[in-house]
Amino acid sequence: MSSPADYKLPNPGPRPEGEREELLRIWKTPGGWRLPTAVNNTVIGLLYIGAAFAFFVGAGILALVMRTQLALPDNDLVSQNLYNQLFTVHGTTMMFLFAVPAMEALGVMLLPQMLAARDLPFPRLSAFAIWAYVVGGSVFFLTVFLDLAPKGGWFMYPPLTLTQFSPGDNADFWLLGIGFIEISAIAGAIEIIVGVLRTRPPGMSLDKLPIFGWAMLIFAGMIMVAFPAVILATMFLEIERAFGWPFFSPEGGGDPLLWQHLFWFFGHPEVYIIFLPAAGLVSMIVPTMARTPLVGYRLIVVALIATGFFSFGLWVHHMFATGIPAMSLAFFSAASMAVAIPSGIQIFSWIATIADSKGKYQINVPSLFVLGMLFIFTLGGLTGVMVAMVPFDLQAHDTYFIVAHMHYVMIGGMVFPLFACFYYWVPMVAKKRLSERLGRWTFWLMFIGFNVAFLPMHLTGLLGMPRRIWTYPSGLGWDGLNMISTIGAYMIAAGVLVFIIDLIRNFRVGEGGEPNPWGAGTLEFLPQDVYSTRSIPHITSRDPLWDQPNLAEEVESGQHYLPNAPTGGRETIVTSAIEAKPQYVVQMPGPGWAHVCAAVFTAACFLLLTIKVVTLAVICAGIAVVSCLVWVWDIDKGPDKGPVNIGGGHRLPVYMTGPSAHGWWAMIVLMIVAGSLYLAYLFSYLYTWTVTPEVWPGAADELASLRWPALSALSFVCGAVIYWFAQKSLGPHSARHALTPGLLLLGALLISAGLGFEIYGHWSAGLRGPQSSFDALTYMASFLTGEIVVAILIMTVYVTARHFTGKLDNVRFASLENTNLLVYYMTAQALIGLVVVHGFPRLVGAS
C-alpha cells in the first residue's frame, strides 16, 4: 500500500459545501441517536459504562451496609438472612455486572477511536449485548430488595445451593440471570476480537497495534475459553435443582467439587480478564504523561499473552484446602507463583517509562490514579504469592486475609486504572475535562480510604476472623480493626461521591472540547466529525500523532481513506488480520428496534424460567428469535454498490465471502466458544468417572447396542454432506439453483434425525437422567448438541427465506456459508460425543 503522500485526493482541503449536512443525513438518520435504537459506538459505549458504574455504586452501598454491620461486635443492624443476600449480591454484582462489563464497555467505546474505524463490525451485536445486560442485571440486582436474592456467595458452592439447602427461587435468579449475562459478555467478546483483527486502519500491522488493543484482544480470547465453563456449571446446577439430575449430589454419583473445578476454571482467569484491559489502559496513559514511547512494547505484548496463558493453569489455587492430591498442590502452587512474572514485567516497564521521562512526568489526576494502582496492585501481588504457598494458604484460607488480598488485587488492578481512564478519556467525548481539583479529592479519599479499609483486614484474618460471618462476639481482638475498616469504607464512598458530583457538574457530551489535551500519540484523539473521523488514516508507527505531526489536519481535510460515504450509508474499511492491508468496505447497519426487542425478550425468557412461568417464557423466546431474524435480515446487503473509490484511486469491493469476510471470522470465534463449552463437558464426564467409579461399572452393558449411535452418526454425516451440496447448488444455472431449498430441508431433517436417534438410543437402553450421574452426563452430550441443532434449524429457515426472496445466489451466499460452518462444527462435536459416551464405558469395562 502506498504512503499518504502518494494518493492525495483531487481536491484536498476544506469540506465541499453541503457535504457535512449530507453526511449528517446519512449517519444520523431519524432515531439514530435515540438510545434504544442507536448503533453508534460512542453512544453504546457511554450507555454501557454508565450502567456498569451504576452497578458499581449499588454494590458499594451494599458493602457499606455490611461494613456497618461488622463495625461493632454483636451488632444487629441486619439479620443473618439479609446479610447473606447482601454479600452474595455485592460480590456477584462487582464481578459479573461491573468488572467485566466495564472493561468490555471501554473496548466498545475506545477501540473504534484507537483504530480510527467508523465502528466495530457488528454494532447491533454490541447493542444487543448491552441491552440484555442492562435488563437482566437490573432485575438480578433488585432481588436483594425483594428477599429473592441468592444467599450462597458469588461462587454459589453446592451442596449449599442445592434445592434441599436453598429452596425457593433465590438461587435460580443467580443461575439463570448470571448465565444469561455471561452469554451477553461472549457476544461482546466476538465483536471485540473481529473488530481488533479486521477493522484496523491501513498500515496498522499487529506490531503497531496500541497496547490497549492487544489487551482487549487477549481479554476477549480469554472470555471465549473461560466463560463457557461457568455457563456449563450453571446449566448443571439449574438442571439438578429443577429436575433432580445428580451432577453434584454424592448419593447419585455426583461430586460437589465438580462445581468448584468448573467455576474456578472461569473464576481465576476472570481476575486476569479484568486486570489485562486495565493494564492496557495504564500502558496507554503512562507514555503520554511521560512524553516518551512505552519502554518494552514487545515485552509487554508477550507478558499479556503469557498472563492469559498462565491464568488457565491456576484454578486449583482456590482449592488447596479441599483435599486434592499433593502432586496437584505442588503444580498449581508453582503455577500460581509463576504468573507473577509477566505482571512484574509490565510494572517494571511502566516504571522504566516514567524514569525515561527524565523528571518531566506530568502529575495530574490520571497520573495519580496510575501511581496509586502501582502501589496497591503490587501489594496485592505480594500477598498473592503468599497465598500461592500451600502451607500459608491452609492457615489463611477463608479468613479476612483473603478478603484483603482479593480487594487489593481487584480494586488496585482494575478500579484505580478505570478512574484514571475516566479522567484521561473524558475529553474525547465531552466538551471539557473533569475538574482537576475535585479529581484530586476523589483520588486521595479513595486511596487513603482503601488502605484504611483493607490493610487492617490482613491482621484481622491472621487473628482468625472467618469470611462471610454476619456478626462476632467481643473480646477476640477484632473490634478495633473492624471499626477502622468501616471508617475506611466510608472514606472510599466519599471519594466516589465527589467523583459523581464532578460528573454532574462538568460532564457534557458534545463537540467543542480540546482535541488532544494531553498531547497523546494515539489515534483516539484525532478530530472527530459527524461520525468518527472524516477520513481513515494510513498508519506508519505506534504513535502516529507524534511521528506524523500533520496527521490530524490531513484526516480532517479528507486526505486519507474513505473521506465520504461512497456506499450511501455507514461504512468502514476491513483490513487483513496481520498486516492491515485494505480488503473491502463493510456496509454498517443503521438504527433499528429489532436488536433491542431481541435483548429484552431474551432476558424476559430467562427471568420467567427463573420463576417457573414456562409457557410465557417460551412465547418470549419465540419473539426473541423472530426479532433476531428481523435484525439480521438487512445486514447481508450484497455487492451491488461496489467496488467503491476509497481515496487516491484505490477501489475496494463492498461484499466478501469466505475466510476474508468478517462474518466468517465471527462464526469461527463462535465455534471456538462452543468448543470450549464442550471441552468443559468432556472434563466433567471424565472427572465424574474418576471420582465416583462405583456408578459406572454397568454402563457398557446399558449401552450394549450400537445400532442407534451408528444411525445417529450416519445421519449427522449425511446431513453435513447435504448442506455442502446445498451451497454448491447456488451455481449460475437456474435448474441447480432450484434444488437449494429441497437440499436444505433434507439436510435439516437428517441432522434432526441424528439427534433423535441419539436420544432414543439412550432412552431405549434404560438411561434416565435422575438415576445417576452417568445417566445425567450421557444425556447432557445430546443436550449440548441439540442446542446447536436448534440454532441450525432456525438459520436454515432464515436462509431458505432469503432464497425465495432472491437474496441468495452464487455471489451473495454469506448466510448459507456461515450456516454450513456451524453444521460442520456440530457434526464433529456430535461424533466426538458418540465416541466418548458409547466408547469410553466399553474401554473402562474392558480394563
Side-chain angles (χ1 to χ4, degrees), residues 171-523:
D172 300 305
F173 275 104
W174 193 98
L175 294 169
L176 288 169
I178 297 305
F180 167 65
I181 290 167
E182 298 302 271
I183 294 172
S184 170
I186 288 173
I190 293 172
E191 170 85 300
I192 288 169
I193 290 172
V194 181
V196 171
L197 291 177
R198 301 306 311 280
T199 60
R200 303 196 306 278
M204 186 183 278
S205 54
L206 285 179
D207 63 344
K208 299 183 184 69
L209 180 65
I211 287 292
F212 183 70
W214 274 109
M216 292 305 298
L217 183 62
I218 298 165
F219 160 91
M222 292 174 69
I223 286 178
M224 287 165 45
V225 177
F227 279 36
V230 75
I231 291 173
L232 182 70
T234 57
M235 289 167 60
F236 281 169
L237 186 50
E238 183 58 31
I239 290 172
E240 178 158 353
R241 286 177 57 84
F243 304 110
W245 292 19
F247 298 106
F248 306 112
S249 299
E251 57 269 22
D255 184 16
L257 283 185
L258 174 60
W259 171 274
Q260 292 198 37
H261 281 289
L262 292 174
F263 183 86
W264 289 118
F265 185 79
F266 143 82
H268 199 89
E270 189 185 27
V271 173
Y272 298 98
I273 287 171
I274 294 166
F275 167 68
L276 289 183
L281 296 172
V282 173
S283 293
M284 302 292 289
I285 295 172
V286 167
T288 298
M289 298 308 170
R291 288 292 190 273
T292 186
L294 183 67
V295 173
Y297 172 93
R298 286 186 170 84
L299 275 177
I300 286 189
V301 172
V302 172
L304 291 171
I305 296 171
T307 301
F309 177 78
F310 278 128
S311 68
F312 286 102
L314 306 181
W315 79 91
V316 180
H317 170 101
H318 296 265
M319 302 171 62
F320 286 164
T322 59
I324 60 177
M327 183 64 72
S328 297
L329 291 175
F331 172 82
F332 287 101
S333 177
S336 299
M337 288 184 277
V339 78
I341 296 173
S343 299
I345 289 173
Q346 295 179 76
I347 291 172
F348 281 111
S349 172
W350 300 329
I351 294 172
T353 305
I354 294 172
D356 198 39
S357 69
K358 298 179 176 60
K360 297 179 181 179
Y361 188 78
Q362 301 177 69
I363 300 299
N364 46 39
V365 176
S367 297
L368 287 173
F369 275 104
V370 166
L371 295 173
M373 174 266 187
L374 286 172
F375 177 81
I376 294 171
F377 183 75
T378 300
L379 290 181
L382 291 174
T383 56
V385 173
M386 293 170 67
V387 298
M389 295 185 289
V390 177
F392 182 86
D393 184 78
L394 292 175
Q395 301 301 314
H397 192 77
D398 273 344
T399 71
Y400 260 76
F401 188 94
I402 303 300
V403 176
H405 158 69
M406 181 177 180
H407 284 83
Y408 263 82
V409 171
M410 299 303 297
I411 295 181
M414 183 266 176
V415 174
F416 272 71
L418 183 65
F419 273 79
C421 162
F422 288 156
Y423 281 93
Y424 181 78
W425 272 290
V426 155
M428 187 186 78
V429 295
K431 295 180 179 179
K432 62 177 181 178
R433 306 188 209 184
L434 296 178
S435 167
E436 182 75 14
R437 180 174 60 87
L438 292 178
R440 289 175 181 265
W441 274 98
T442 299
F443 169 75
W444 287 113
L445 283 169
M446 290 183 65
F447 181 77
I448 296 172
F450 174 83
N451 286 286
V452 170
F454 293 102
L455 191 60
M457 288 186 190
H458 294 93
L459 299 176
T460 312
L462 292 175
L463 288 173
M465 183 174 177
R467 302 170 66 180
R468 312 178 196 111
I469 59 171
W470 72 288
T471 189
Y472 56 92
S474 60
L476 297 177
W478 307 342
D479 306 21
L481 293 171
N482 273 298
M483 177 58 74
I484 292 171
S485 291
T486 302
I487 292 170
Y490 276 91
M491 290 179 68
I492 298 172
V496 174
L497 179 60
V498 172
F499 174 73
I500 294 172
I501 293 171
D502 195 0
L503 284 180
I504 294 172
R505 289 183 57 187
N506 296 303
F507 184 68
R508 300 291 184 273
V509 177
E511 302 174 7
E514 302 173 73
N516 189 0
W518 313 109
T522 43
L523 297 178

Side-chain angles (χ1 to χ4, degrees), residues 633 730 737-741 744 798-808:
W633 184 258
L730 295 175
H737 194 66
L739 295 175
T740 305
L744 290 172
Y798 171 79
V799 171
T800 304
R802 293 188 70 82
H803 174 273
F804 284 118
T805 55
K807 299 180 182 295
L808 186 72

Side-chain angles (χ1 to χ4, degrees), residues 778-800:
T778 298
Y779 275 107
M780 278 304 298
S782 304
F783 177 77
L784 294 175
T785 300
E787 289 182 318
I788 304 177
V789 168
V790 171
I792 291 170
L793 295 179
I794 294 171
M795 293 171 71
T796 301
V797 170
Y798 171 79
V799 171
T800 304

